[in-house]
Amino acid sequence: MAEWTTPFNAPPFDRIDEEDFLPAFDTAIARHTAEVDAIATNPADPTFENTLLALETSGAELGRISRVFFNLASSASNDEIRAIQREMSPRLAAHSASITLNAELFLRIDSLYQARGTLGLNPQQLRLLETTHHDFVRAGAQLQGDDRERFAEVRAGLAGLYTQFAQNEQADREGWTLALEAEDLEGLPDYIVSAAAGAAADRGLDGHVITLARSSVEPFLQTSPDRELREAAWTAWMTRGDNDNANNNHQTIREILQLRQEMANLLGYASFADYRTGGTMAGTPNAALELMEQVWWPARNRALEEQADIETRITDAGLDHDVAPWDWRYYTEQVRAERYDLDQSEVKAYLQLDNMIEAQFYVAERLFGVSFTERFDLPVYHPDVRVWEMTNTDGGVIGLFYGDYFVRPGKRGGAWMSSFRPQNGVNGDIPIIVNNCNYNRPAEGEPALLSFTDASTLFHEFGHALHGLLSDTDYPSLAGTSVDRDFVEFPAQIYEHWLEQPEVLERFAIHHETGEPMPAELLERVLQAQMFNQGFATVEFLNSGFVDMAYHLHPAPAEIDIHEFEQTVLASRDNLEAIPMRHRSTHFLHTFAGEGYSAGYYSYLWAGVLDNDGFAAFEEAGDIFDPELAQRLLDSVYSAGDSEPAMDAYIGFRGREPRVEPLLRNRGFVEAGG
């Protein structure tokens, strides 16, 4: 609550203790409530300034505290933080509901909205009014009587369940390890052996362990010749939240689905899926399903071809078993190595994390004219964290970027972008953005080496980061990533394409021992292999997308049997038994640890259409850094936030609506030119 005197008023992590949060939350909630009450009861007629702008600038302290706390809860959690999160999540949801359900406040907003054509507002003022009114309506502002009270109860109940779901998954994930004996290490690449030793040391154990962090278990599944160990690791990975213990998420899922359905029904929607897709680019669940169906059958056909390759490998090895899920990654890597003469260890030797970080910065500089300089004088919440300032062509600092790249206990799985402060056009605050990944920590004195998939993830998350860092809107509610869920992945996914360009890799894919660039013939094989196994990757994604949407269209969620439901949905499209969901229900954080991707996991595919079509513009121009296209991409997408509807933003960049053909072509589902 004190004034932050750090450079750029960055969070003073060295001065913040866990016991500070609850009293700070108490004070900030009380102050924000008073600010909102003053706006709602203002005797003056409503104006943009005394209502919309006043609301936009209210709650600054609460926002600051919440962003610090919930970033720590994701990246550096402990028992104290988890307990505070369980207490505060429903309280903050109730506080939010007290604002959106404030009848006097909404009356002022609604009166401005009804008169919006006569107020002389500029485009961003009008957009802020329209999105604020839209958000209030979707948050129950037009409900009356008992429905208003029940809606607030539902939101608070969901907030508590989301926290419970996420903490259950984390407990199962962090509570399991697979100890490897000396003979189990035979046949494993050195980088996996080293990472397994590091994982054991992080947990105070001797020897080597595989954990359920994706950066640990997935490479093990790709390389371990021991089928029984692969099955044990895969089973534990797939059953997080699905075990006979206190972390079982079955009932939590049913309760979430029931409350979501009730919330949607209160607002007049037939289902939660209808509620969630309303106002997005897709617009309806059917539109999202139609896109997934359009891609499903070509992807399934390609996956069948990939499975046939695996079956041949199994037969050639003199084995007699069907392809199981714990076999797919192992034999796929053998096929990949044979077909493209690729050794993952050889590729990783050229993909140093530090160089890939420099590569992502280089692309941003070429496209958008920004530069990054590391800072060592800013407090951080963990020694792993690094900080850079982002400057424009005039040398002015326009953003801070935090990078937190290594896996550790207390950090949630996966990779994500978040913010400690959004860009604020009202008071001039620069954005403070953070990327989190979960790469294996290297041994002391050794460089961190990435797979090509890891490097793609790095670029993906930095695309999100740039969406926040380059934001240049008049109001924080329109800033950065505050866009439609099925558009928010576009800036991240299009950025991945630059990693795959020879012009970038030739410069930054440098061998960590020899200092030599990746040979041209190896680079060519790496790029050719990117289309490999796309059937599997797309099918496992779509499996999760179909199940996510089916949950939120189901009329009686209280009766759902989780296992049976998953199998029924997958069987309805003749799914391959060897390819399950990418994220099974009981650890599907995208869908059940919050509302972000609920009934919206399709968004990655929707954005996939946009990113493949969008990058095709640079290919058509014959210059991956074409200045005119880069400027349009900056003006219409990266800096624009939610200042206009998503389709208008895309057309502003591309000059037309997106086409699906580039996605199908780039995944190898149709021939080039088809």
Side-chain angles (χ1 to χ4, degrees):
M1 297 297 291
E3 180 182 357
W4 291 353
T5 58
T6 46
F8 310 106
N9 298 317
F13 293 109
D14 54 339
R15 295 171 52 203
I16 297 173
D17 296 316
E18 284 89 345
E19 58 264 27
D20 295 331
F21 281 110
L22 282 177
F25 272 125
D26 289 340
T27 302
I29 287 173
R31 291 180 180 177
H32 190 204
T33 299
E35 291 171 339
V36 171
D37 286 346
I39 298 168
T41 59
N42 188 339
D45 289 340
T47 64
F48 180 88
E49 287 73 19
N50 71 19
T51 302
L52 265 295
L53 184 58
L55 186 62
E56 188 75 354
T57 57
S58 70
E61 290 173 323
L62 181 58
R64 183 175 77 166
I65 294 163
S66 295
R67 284 187 290 272
V68 170
F69 175 77
F70 284 101
N71 274 301
L72 291 179
S74 293
S75 303
S77 190
N78 55 37
D79 289 343
E80 291 79 11
I81 286 179
R82 283 188 281 270
I84 296 169
Q85 187 179 14
R86 287 192 294 272
E87 177 177 344
M88 288 310 306
S89 292
R91 284 185 58 193
L92 288 169
H95 173 67
S96 176
S98 74
I99 297 170
T100 54
L101 297 175
N102 185 313
E104 291 177 299
L105 177 61
F106 181 67
L107 186 62
R108 296 178 69 85
I109 295 170
D110 190 53
S111 66
L112 291 172
Y113 179 75
Q114 300 304 330
R116 61 191 181 281
T118 66
L119 300 178
L121 302 178
N122 67 38
Q124 288 208 32
Q125 290 175 328
L126 180 60
R127 180 67 174 168
L128 180 65
L129 174 56
E130 290 173 342
T131 57
T132 301
H133 185 272
H134 175 78
D135 291 346
F136 267 65
V137 170
R138 287 175 60 82
Q142 293 179 324
L143 297 177
Q144 302 294 324
D146 292 344
D147 286 349
R148 295 172 67 86
E149 182 177 340
R150 179 57 187 159
F151 191 88
E153 293 172 353
V154 167
R155 289 184 62 181
L158 282 169
L161 289 167
Y162 296 155
T163 298
Q164 178 182 330
F165 183 93
Q167 292 189 357
N168 285 348
E169 185 278 336
Q170 183 175 21
D172 262 9
R173 173 167 42 83
E174 294 189 349
W176 185 93
T177 58
L178 176 65
L180 300 179
E181 303 299 331
E183 59 269 23
D184 302 330
L185 303 177
E186 295 177 8
L188 295 179
D190 290 344
Y191 69 88
I192 293 182
V193 175
S194 176
D202 286 345
R203 289 157 178 77
L205 302 172
D206 295 327
H208 302 77
V209 299
I210 299 301
T211 74
L212 295 183
R214 184 175 286 271
S215 58
S216 174
V217 67
E218 194 161 44
F220 181 76
L221 291 171
Q222 291 170 335
T223 58
S224 173
D226 190 317
R227 191 167 190 252
E228 288 186 4
L229 290 181
R230 293 201 310 270
E231 181 178 3
W234 184 89
T235 300
W237 193 29
M238 285 292 108
T239 56
R240 289 168 286 146
D242 193 22
N243 297 294
D244 187 16
N245 59 22
N247 306 319
N248 187 284
N249 268 327
H250 284 223
Q251 185 58 26
T252 306
I253 290 171
R254 284 188 284 267
E255 291 178 16
I256 288 172
L257 292 172
Q258 286 176 266
L259 290 181
R260 284 176 173 173
Q261 183 185 49
E262 183 179 359
M263 183 174 74
N265 293 162
L266 284 168
L267 294 173
Y269 291 92
S271 71
F272 186 78
D274 289 284
Y275 165 73
R276 284 293 291 161
T277 53
T280 66
M281 293 185 78
T284 66
N286 281 342
L289 286 167
E290 285 172 5
L291 175 62
M292 290 194 285
E293 294 280 5
Q294 185 176 358
V295 176
W296 168 257
W297 295 107
R300 181 183 178 278
N301 291 338
R302 176 51 55 88
L304 285 171
E305 296 173 3
E306 294 164 358
Q307 181 167 293
D309 290 337
I310 293 172
E311 290 168 344
T312 299
R313 297 290 303 190
I314 292 172
T315 300
D316 289 348
L319 301 173
D320 183 22
H321 61 76
D322 293 333
V323 182
W326 48 90
D327 296 320
W328 193 288
R329 289 171 174 83
Y330 177 68
Y331 287 105
T332 289
E333 289 308 307
Q334 294 186 13
V335 176
R336 188 198 308 267
E338 180 180 271
R339 186 167 298 171
Y340 300 100
D341 190 22
L342 271 185
D343 179 340
Q344 291 299 324
S345 296
E346 181 186 13
V347 175
K348 286 170 74 80
Y350 290 93
L351 300 180
Q352 300 175 65
L353 173 59
D354 285 350
N355 283 0
M356 293 298 100
I357 291 171
E358 289 303 312
Q360 68 181 15
F361 292 159
Y362 169 79
V363 171
E365 182 175 4
R366 290 291 306 274
L367 287 171
F368 308 125
V370 293
S371 301
F372 291 82
T373 304
E374 192 159 8
R375 298 282 299 246
F376 301 95
D377 58 336
L378 289 163
V380 293
Y381 56 84
H382 190 277
D384 287 347
V385 180
R386 301 168 65 183
V387 187
W388 292 264
E389 64 180 28
M390 185 181 79
T391 55
N392 58 20
T393 53
D394 297 327
V397 178
I398 56 175
L400 291 180
F401 172 65
Y402 289 57
D404 183 354
Y405 296 112
F406 297 121
V407 65
R408 59 177 177 269
K411 187 178 185 181
R412 89 178 208 215
W416 66 97
M417 165 269 189
S418 187
S419 70
F420 289 108
R421 186 173 69 207
Q423 178 258 335
N424 190 322
V426 177
N427 65 15
D429 279 346
I430 64 171
I432 302 177
I433 305 298
V434 59
N435 273 175
N436 275 271
C437 298
N438 272 284
Y439 303 134
N440 291 320
R441 186 191 313 279
E444 189 69 29
E446 295 293 321
L449 303 178
L450 306 182
S451 68
F452 202 88
T453 299
D454 291 336
S456 294
T457 298
L458 185 80
F459 267 62
H460 178 101
E461 296 306 333
F462 192 65
H464 280 310
L466 286 174
H467 201 190
L469 289 165
L470 294 168
S471 177
D472 187 17
T473 62
D474 293 342
Y475 305 103
S477 290
L478 300 179
T481 58
S482 56
V483 297
D484 292 350
R485 177 55 60 192
D486 47 13
F487 188 66
V488 75
E489 293 298 331
F490 169 55
Q493 291 178 196
I494 193 173
Y495 207 74
E496 294 177 46
H497 287 267
W498 275 276
L499 172 65
E500 300 172 0
Q501 305 310 306
E503 184 173 343
V504 174
L505 287 172
E506 288 167 357
R507 187 183 185 102
F508 293 99
I510 306 298
H511 197 283
H512 72 99
E513 291 178 338
T514 68
E516 295 296 318
M518 183 181 288
E521 53 86 20
L522 176 58
L523 174 58
E524 184 178 354
R525 284 185 278 122
V526 168
L527 295 177
Q528 288 175 344
Q530 293 317 298
M531 201 179 292
F532 180 72
N533 206 39
Q534 280 297 311
F536 169 86
T538 305
V539 165
E540 70 161 0
F541 163 81
L542 287 172
N543 283 339
S544 289
F546 284 128
V547 170
D548 167 45
M549 193 63 76
Y551 272 132
H552 295 102
L553 288 168
H554 196 282
E559 302 170 6
I560 287 177
D561 177 284
I562 303 302
H563 293 162
E564 182 179 323
F565 187 83
E566 289 178 343
Q567 292 306 310
T568 299
V569 174
L570 300 187
S572 70
R573 291 175 178 83
D574 297 328
N575 183 54
L576 284 67
E577 290 187 12
I579 309 180
M581 300 164 64
R582 178 171 176 81
H583 305 286
R584 280 204 54 236
S585 304
T586 55
H587 52 85
F588 202 169
L589 297 172
H590 289 78
T591 291
F592 294 119
E595 289 182 14
Y597 289 88
S598 54
Y601 194 61
Y602 77 89
S603 300
Y604 289 96
L605 183 64
W606 193 277
V609 173
L610 304 181
D611 76 71
N612 283 278
D613 183 65
F615 191 76
F618 287 91
E619 295 174 323
E620 293 160 7
D623 181 359
I624 63 169
F625 297 114
D626 182 83
E628 181 182 347
L629 281 172
Q631 190 63 50
R632 293 212 304 264
L633 186 62
L634 174 64
D635 292 344
S636 293
V637 179
Y638 281 98
S639 71
D642 193 29
S643 57
E644 62 179 340
M647 185 58 80
D648 292 348
Y650 185 82
I651 293 172
F653 155 60
R654 190 63 167 102
R656 57 164 174 75
E657 292 191 358
R659 298 168 183 162
V660 73
E661 289 78 14
L663 176 140
L664 297 174
R665 183 173 61 248
N666 289 343
R667 296 195 181 190
F669 300 157
V670 297
E671 296 296 329

